Short mmCIF file of all heavy atoms in Angstrom, two decimals:
data_model
loop_
_atom_site.label_atom_id
_atom_site.label_comp_id
_atom_site.label_asym_id
_atom_site.label_seq_id
_atom_site.Cartn_x
_atom_site.Cartn_y
_atom_site.Cartn_z
N GLU A 1 93.82 100.23 75.21
CA GLU A 1 94.10 101.26 74.25
C GLU A 1 93.42 102.57 74.65
O GLU A 1 93.94 103.62 74.58
CB GLU A 1 93.65 100.87 72.80
CG GLU A 1 94.48 99.88 72.16
CD GLU A 1 93.98 99.43 70.87
OE1 GLU A 1 93.03 99.95 70.38
OE2 GLU A 1 94.56 98.43 70.29
N ARG A 2 92.16 102.42 75.16
CA ARG A 2 91.48 103.57 75.60
C ARG A 2 92.07 104.25 76.85
O ARG A 2 92.13 105.46 77.02
CB ARG A 2 89.97 103.23 75.87
CG ARG A 2 89.25 102.93 74.58
CD ARG A 2 87.83 102.61 74.89
NE ARG A 2 87.15 102.42 73.55
CZ ARG A 2 85.97 101.98 73.44
NH1 ARG A 2 85.28 101.55 74.53
NH2 ARG A 2 85.46 101.79 72.25
N ILE A 3 92.54 103.39 77.77
CA ILE A 3 93.25 103.87 78.93
C ILE A 3 94.56 104.63 78.53
O ILE A 3 94.85 105.74 78.98
CB ILE A 3 93.63 102.85 79.98
CG1 ILE A 3 92.18 102.34 80.63
CG2 ILE A 3 94.50 103.28 81.05
CD1 ILE A 3 92.34 101.12 81.50
N ASP A 4 95.30 104.11 77.53
CA ASP A 4 96.42 104.74 76.96
C ASP A 4 96.10 106.10 76.37
O ASP A 4 96.86 107.07 76.63
CB ASP A 4 97.14 103.79 75.97
CG ASP A 4 97.85 102.70 76.56
OD1 ASP A 4 98.12 102.66 77.74
OD2 ASP A 4 98.19 101.74 75.74
N ILE A 5 95.00 106.21 75.72
CA ILE A 5 94.57 107.46 75.10
C ILE A 5 94.30 108.50 76.31
O ILE A 5 94.66 109.60 76.19
CB ILE A 5 93.34 107.23 74.21
CG1 ILE A 5 93.73 106.55 72.92
CG2 ILE A 5 92.66 108.62 73.88
CD1 ILE A 5 92.57 105.99 72.12
N LEU A 6 93.60 108.03 77.31
CA LEU A 6 93.30 108.94 78.47
C LEU A 6 94.54 109.30 79.16
O LEU A 6 94.71 110.53 79.46
CB LEU A 6 92.37 108.20 79.44
CG LEU A 6 90.91 107.96 78.95
CD1 LEU A 6 90.21 107.04 79.99
CD2 LEU A 6 90.20 109.26 78.83
N ASN A 7 95.53 108.51 79.30
CA ASN A 7 96.83 108.82 79.90
C ASN A 7 97.48 109.85 79.08
O ASN A 7 98.09 110.79 79.66
CB ASN A 7 97.71 107.62 79.98
CG ASN A 7 97.28 106.72 81.18
OD1 ASN A 7 96.57 107.06 82.09
ND2 ASN A 7 97.66 105.36 81.00
N ASN A 8 97.52 109.72 77.76
CA ASN A 8 98.17 110.75 76.93
C ASN A 8 97.43 112.10 76.94
O ASN A 8 98.05 113.18 77.00
CB ASN A 8 98.22 110.25 75.49
CG ASN A 8 99.30 109.16 75.35
OD1 ASN A 8 100.28 109.07 76.09
ND2 ASN A 8 99.05 108.21 74.45
N LYS A 9 96.09 112.00 76.93
CA LYS A 9 95.27 113.16 76.92
C LYS A 9 95.41 114.01 78.22
O LYS A 9 95.45 115.25 78.15
CB LYS A 9 93.85 112.97 76.59
CG LYS A 9 92.96 114.18 76.43
CD LYS A 9 91.54 113.72 76.02
CE LYS A 9 90.65 114.96 75.78
NZ LYS A 9 89.35 114.62 75.32
N PHE A 10 95.35 113.29 79.37
CA PHE A 10 95.23 114.07 80.61
C PHE A 10 96.58 113.88 81.44
O PHE A 10 96.59 114.26 82.55
CB PHE A 10 94.08 113.52 81.41
CG PHE A 10 92.68 113.72 80.74
CD1 PHE A 10 91.95 112.73 80.21
CD2 PHE A 10 92.24 115.01 80.65
CE1 PHE A 10 90.81 112.87 79.68
CE2 PHE A 10 91.00 115.20 80.03
CZ PHE A 10 90.27 114.14 79.57
N ALA A 11 97.58 113.33 80.92
CA ALA A 11 98.86 113.15 81.58
C ALA A 11 98.70 112.48 82.91
O ALA A 11 99.11 112.96 83.93
CB ALA A 11 99.57 114.49 81.72
N THR A 12 97.94 111.36 82.82
CA THR A 12 97.68 110.56 84.00
C THR A 12 98.49 109.18 83.90
O THR A 12 99.02 108.84 82.91
CB THR A 12 96.22 110.36 84.17
OG1 THR A 12 95.61 109.75 83.02
CG2 THR A 12 95.44 111.57 84.48
N LYS A 13 98.14 108.35 84.86
CA LYS A 13 98.77 107.01 84.96
C LYS A 13 97.69 106.03 85.15
O LYS A 13 97.82 105.21 86.10
CB LYS A 13 99.88 106.98 86.03
CG LYS A 13 101.07 107.86 85.77
CD LYS A 13 102.17 107.78 86.76
CE LYS A 13 103.31 108.73 86.44
NZ LYS A 13 104.30 108.72 87.44
N GLY A 14 96.70 105.94 84.33
CA GLY A 14 95.71 104.92 84.43
C GLY A 14 96.22 103.57 84.05
O GLY A 14 97.32 103.42 83.37
N ILE A 15 95.60 102.58 84.67
CA ILE A 15 96.13 101.18 84.45
C ILE A 15 94.96 100.20 84.26
O ILE A 15 93.76 100.51 84.69
CB ILE A 15 96.94 100.71 85.68
CG1 ILE A 15 96.08 100.77 86.96
CG2 ILE A 15 98.23 101.52 85.83
CD1 ILE A 15 96.81 100.10 88.18
N LEU A 16 95.25 99.05 83.74
CA LEU A 16 94.45 97.91 83.61
C LEU A 16 95.30 96.69 83.99
O LEU A 16 96.21 96.42 83.26
CB LEU A 16 93.81 97.72 82.23
CG LEU A 16 93.04 96.44 81.99
CD1 LEU A 16 91.79 96.33 82.87
CD2 LEU A 16 92.64 96.35 80.51
N GLU A 17 94.96 96.06 85.11
CA GLU A 17 95.74 94.89 85.66
C GLU A 17 94.79 93.71 85.82
O GLU A 17 93.77 93.87 86.33
CB GLU A 17 96.41 95.21 86.91
CG GLU A 17 97.40 96.35 86.89
CD GLU A 17 97.95 96.76 88.27
OE1 GLU A 17 97.15 96.75 89.21
OE2 GLU A 17 99.12 97.16 88.31
N ILE A 18 95.24 92.61 85.36
CA ILE A 18 94.39 91.39 85.50
C ILE A 18 95.26 90.31 86.15
O ILE A 18 96.41 90.02 85.77
CB ILE A 18 93.91 90.86 84.18
CG1 ILE A 18 93.09 91.98 83.42
CG2 ILE A 18 93.01 89.63 84.35
CD1 ILE A 18 92.96 91.65 82.01
N SER A 19 94.68 89.67 87.24
CA SER A 19 95.49 88.60 87.90
C SER A 19 94.51 87.54 88.41
O SER A 19 93.25 87.71 88.31
CB SER A 19 96.25 89.21 89.07
OG SER A 19 95.44 89.81 89.96
N ASP A 20 95.02 86.49 88.90
CA ASP A 20 94.19 85.44 89.53
C ASP A 20 93.70 85.90 90.83
O ASP A 20 94.44 86.62 91.66
CB ASP A 20 94.91 84.14 89.75
CG ASP A 20 95.29 83.44 88.44
OD1 ASP A 20 94.57 83.63 87.44
OD2 ASP A 20 96.31 82.78 88.41
N PHE A 21 92.43 85.70 91.18
CA PHE A 21 91.92 86.08 92.54
C PHE A 21 92.53 85.26 93.60
O PHE A 21 92.98 85.69 94.58
CB PHE A 21 90.33 85.92 92.51
CG PHE A 21 89.70 86.27 93.82
CD1 PHE A 21 89.56 87.56 94.20
CD2 PHE A 21 89.22 85.25 94.68
CE1 PHE A 21 88.94 87.89 95.49
CE2 PHE A 21 88.61 85.54 95.84
CZ PHE A 21 88.48 86.87 96.26
N ASP A 22 92.58 83.91 93.39
CA ASP A 22 93.29 83.03 94.31
C ASP A 22 94.51 82.62 93.61
O ASP A 22 94.56 81.69 92.71
CB ASP A 22 92.38 81.82 94.56
CG ASP A 22 93.03 80.84 95.53
OD1 ASP A 22 94.23 80.78 95.66
OD2 ASP A 22 92.25 80.05 96.17
N LYS A 23 95.62 83.20 93.94
CA LYS A 23 96.94 82.94 93.22
C LYS A 23 97.51 81.52 93.53
O LYS A 23 98.12 80.97 92.59
CB LYS A 23 97.96 84.00 93.69
CG LYS A 23 97.58 85.50 93.19
CD LYS A 23 98.57 86.48 93.67
CE LYS A 23 98.29 87.85 93.30
NZ LYS A 23 97.16 88.26 92.67
N ILE A 24 97.19 80.87 94.61
CA ILE A 24 97.68 79.64 94.87
C ILE A 24 96.94 78.52 93.98
O ILE A 24 97.62 77.66 93.39
CB ILE A 24 97.57 79.32 96.37
CG1 ILE A 24 98.44 80.22 97.27
CG2 ILE A 24 97.78 77.85 96.71
CD1 ILE A 24 98.24 80.16 98.69
N ASN A 25 95.61 78.61 93.94
CA ASN A 25 94.88 77.66 93.19
C ASN A 25 94.54 78.09 91.74
O ASN A 25 93.98 77.32 90.97
CB ASN A 25 93.54 77.36 93.89
CG ASN A 25 93.71 76.69 95.31
OD1 ASN A 25 94.51 75.71 95.37
ND2 ASN A 25 93.15 77.30 96.28
N GLU A 26 95.07 79.31 91.44
CA GLU A 26 94.89 79.82 90.08
C GLU A 26 93.38 79.84 89.70
O GLU A 26 93.04 79.48 88.52
CB GLU A 26 95.71 79.08 89.01
CG GLU A 26 97.22 79.24 89.30
CD GLU A 26 98.01 78.48 88.29
OE1 GLU A 26 97.59 77.38 87.81
OE2 GLU A 26 99.07 79.06 87.94
N THR A 27 92.52 80.27 90.58
CA THR A 27 91.12 80.35 90.37
C THR A 27 90.63 81.73 90.46
O THR A 27 91.31 82.65 91.10
CB THR A 27 90.30 79.45 91.22
OG1 THR A 27 90.57 79.81 92.65
CG2 THR A 27 90.68 77.98 91.09
N GLY A 28 89.47 82.09 89.89
CA GLY A 28 88.91 83.41 89.95
C GLY A 28 89.74 84.41 89.16
O GLY A 28 90.83 84.10 88.66
N THR A 29 89.19 85.59 89.11
CA THR A 29 89.87 86.68 88.40
C THR A 29 89.77 88.02 89.18
O THR A 29 88.70 88.25 89.75
CB THR A 29 89.33 86.87 86.91
OG1 THR A 29 89.36 85.61 86.26
CG2 THR A 29 89.97 87.92 86.14
N PHE A 30 90.82 88.78 89.19
CA PHE A 30 90.77 90.11 89.82
C PHE A 30 91.21 91.09 88.77
O PHE A 30 92.29 90.86 88.07
CB PHE A 30 91.76 90.12 91.01
CG PHE A 30 91.78 91.44 91.67
CD1 PHE A 30 90.81 91.90 92.52
CD2 PHE A 30 92.85 92.32 91.43
CE1 PHE A 30 90.83 93.11 93.15
CE2 PHE A 30 92.93 93.57 91.97
CZ PHE A 30 91.88 93.97 92.86
N VAL A 31 90.39 92.15 88.53
CA VAL A 31 90.74 93.15 87.56
C VAL A 31 90.77 94.45 88.34
O VAL A 31 89.87 94.80 89.05
CB VAL A 31 89.65 93.29 86.46
CG1 VAL A 31 89.93 94.31 85.49
CG2 VAL A 31 89.47 91.88 85.71
N ASN A 32 91.84 95.23 88.06
CA ASN A 32 92.04 96.52 88.68
C ASN A 32 92.06 97.63 87.54
O ASN A 32 93.00 97.38 86.63
CB ASN A 32 93.31 96.65 89.53
CG ASN A 32 93.47 97.86 90.22
OD1 ASN A 32 92.54 98.47 90.72
ND2 ASN A 32 94.65 98.41 90.19
N ILE A 33 91.25 98.48 87.60
CA ILE A 33 91.22 99.64 86.51
C ILE A 33 91.32 100.91 87.25
O ILE A 33 90.63 101.12 88.20
CB ILE A 33 89.96 99.56 85.70
CG1 ILE A 33 89.80 98.19 85.04
CG2 ILE A 33 89.96 100.66 84.66
CD1 ILE A 33 88.44 97.98 84.43
N GLU A 34 92.30 101.76 86.80
CA GLU A 34 92.34 103.11 87.30
C GLU A 34 92.25 104.05 86.14
O GLU A 34 93.18 103.92 85.23
CB GLU A 34 93.57 103.28 88.12
CG GLU A 34 93.56 102.46 89.36
CD GLU A 34 94.86 102.53 90.24
OE1 GLU A 34 95.52 103.61 90.10
OE2 GLU A 34 95.09 101.62 91.01
N ILE A 35 91.38 104.98 86.10
CA ILE A 35 91.16 105.94 85.01
C ILE A 35 91.11 107.36 85.57
O ILE A 35 90.58 107.53 86.73
CB ILE A 35 90.03 105.55 84.06
CG1 ILE A 35 88.72 105.61 84.94
CG2 ILE A 35 90.26 104.32 83.35
CD1 ILE A 35 87.55 105.29 84.00
N PRO A 36 91.47 108.42 84.79
CA PRO A 36 91.32 109.75 85.32
C PRO A 36 89.83 110.14 85.42
O PRO A 36 89.02 109.71 84.65
CB PRO A 36 91.94 110.59 84.27
CG PRO A 36 91.99 109.78 83.02
CD PRO A 36 92.07 108.39 83.51
N LEU A 37 89.49 110.72 86.51
CA LEU A 37 88.16 111.14 86.90
C LEU A 37 88.00 112.59 86.39
O LEU A 37 88.65 113.48 86.97
CB LEU A 37 87.92 111.05 88.33
CG LEU A 37 86.48 111.29 88.81
CD1 LEU A 37 85.47 110.36 88.14
CD2 LEU A 37 86.36 111.08 90.33
N LYS A 38 87.15 112.88 85.48
CA LYS A 38 86.89 114.24 84.96
C LYS A 38 85.40 114.49 84.98
O LYS A 38 84.54 113.52 84.71
CB LYS A 38 87.40 114.35 83.56
CG LYS A 38 88.82 114.20 83.41
CD LYS A 38 89.60 115.37 83.98
CE LYS A 38 91.05 115.30 83.77
NZ LYS A 38 91.76 116.39 84.35
N PHE A 39 84.96 115.63 85.34
CA PHE A 39 83.56 116.00 85.42
C PHE A 39 83.27 116.97 84.17
O PHE A 39 84.08 117.66 83.84
CB PHE A 39 83.19 116.63 86.71
CG PHE A 39 83.34 115.76 87.92
CD1 PHE A 39 84.55 115.74 88.61
CD2 PHE A 39 82.36 114.80 88.20
CE1 PHE A 39 84.62 114.80 89.70
CE2 PHE A 39 82.58 113.92 89.23
CZ PHE A 39 83.68 113.91 90.04
N LYS A 40 82.07 116.78 83.66
CA LYS A 40 81.68 117.79 82.57
C LYS A 40 81.73 119.15 83.07
O LYS A 40 81.37 119.45 84.22
CB LYS A 40 80.27 117.44 82.14
CG LYS A 40 79.73 118.07 80.91
CD LYS A 40 78.50 117.63 80.53
CE LYS A 40 78.09 118.24 79.18
NZ LYS A 40 76.85 117.66 78.67
N ASN A 41 82.34 120.03 82.20
CA ASN A 41 82.45 121.45 82.59
C ASN A 41 83.43 121.72 83.74
O ASN A 41 83.37 122.81 84.34
CB ASN A 41 81.05 122.11 82.84
CG ASN A 41 80.15 122.05 81.63
OD1 ASN A 41 80.56 122.04 80.54
ND2 ASN A 41 78.90 121.83 81.89
N GLN A 42 84.28 120.79 84.01
CA GLN A 42 85.33 120.93 85.07
C GLN A 42 86.29 121.96 84.63
O GLN A 42 86.80 122.04 83.55
CB GLN A 42 85.97 119.56 85.38
CG GLN A 42 86.94 119.72 86.49
CD GLN A 42 87.64 118.30 86.72
OE1 GLN A 42 87.33 117.34 86.10
NE2 GLN A 42 88.52 118.32 87.69
N ILE A 43 86.50 122.89 85.54
CA ILE A 43 87.59 123.97 85.31
C ILE A 43 88.87 123.59 86.06
O ILE A 43 88.84 123.22 87.26
CB ILE A 43 87.05 125.32 85.83
CG1 ILE A 43 85.78 125.65 85.18
CG2 ILE A 43 88.14 126.39 85.75
CD1 ILE A 43 85.08 126.88 85.70
N SER A 44 89.92 123.54 85.40
CA SER A 44 91.23 123.27 86.02
C SER A 44 91.87 124.51 86.65
O SER A 44 91.91 125.54 85.87
CB SER A 44 92.17 122.69 84.97
OG SER A 44 91.70 121.44 84.46
N LEU A 45 92.16 124.43 87.79
CA LEU A 45 92.91 125.63 88.43
C LEU A 45 94.34 125.40 88.47
O LEU A 45 94.88 124.23 88.62
CB LEU A 45 92.36 125.68 89.93
CG LEU A 45 90.78 125.99 90.03
CD1 LEU A 45 90.44 125.95 91.52
CD2 LEU A 45 90.43 127.32 89.36
N PRO A 46 95.11 126.50 88.38
CA PRO A 46 96.58 126.32 88.32
C PRO A 46 97.12 125.84 89.63
O PRO A 46 96.60 125.87 90.62
CB PRO A 46 97.05 127.71 88.01
CG PRO A 46 95.93 128.61 88.11
CD PRO A 46 94.70 127.80 88.21
#
């Protein structure tokens, strides 16, 4: 939900993906998170 809020606020395509680390044996976990990177007092240029 928080990633969806960031996507709407900053018009980005952040994601949260979860899968098995070892797909054959279905063991382990792999998590991929992508979120917009913003810095405090960042100025957007046209």
Side-chain angles (χ1 to χ4, degrees):
E1 288 174 8
R2 289 180 177 170
I3 290 173
D4 288 343
I5 290 167
L6 290 171
N7 284 338
N8 288 330
K9 183 175 182 177
F10 298 111
T12 56
K13 295 182 181 178
I15 59 169
L16 170 63
E17 300 171 324
I18 304 164
S19 61
D20 293 330
F21 178 74
D22 180 337
K23 292 180 184 4
I24 295 170
N25 296 310
E26 297 180 323
T27 58
T29 305
F30 178 79
V31 179
N32 183 45
I33 302 169
E34 296 179 22
I35 56 176
L37 183 60
K38 296 289 181 183
F39 295 98
K40 189 173 183 175
N41 300 326
Q42 180 177 0
I43 299 171
S44 297
L45 299 175

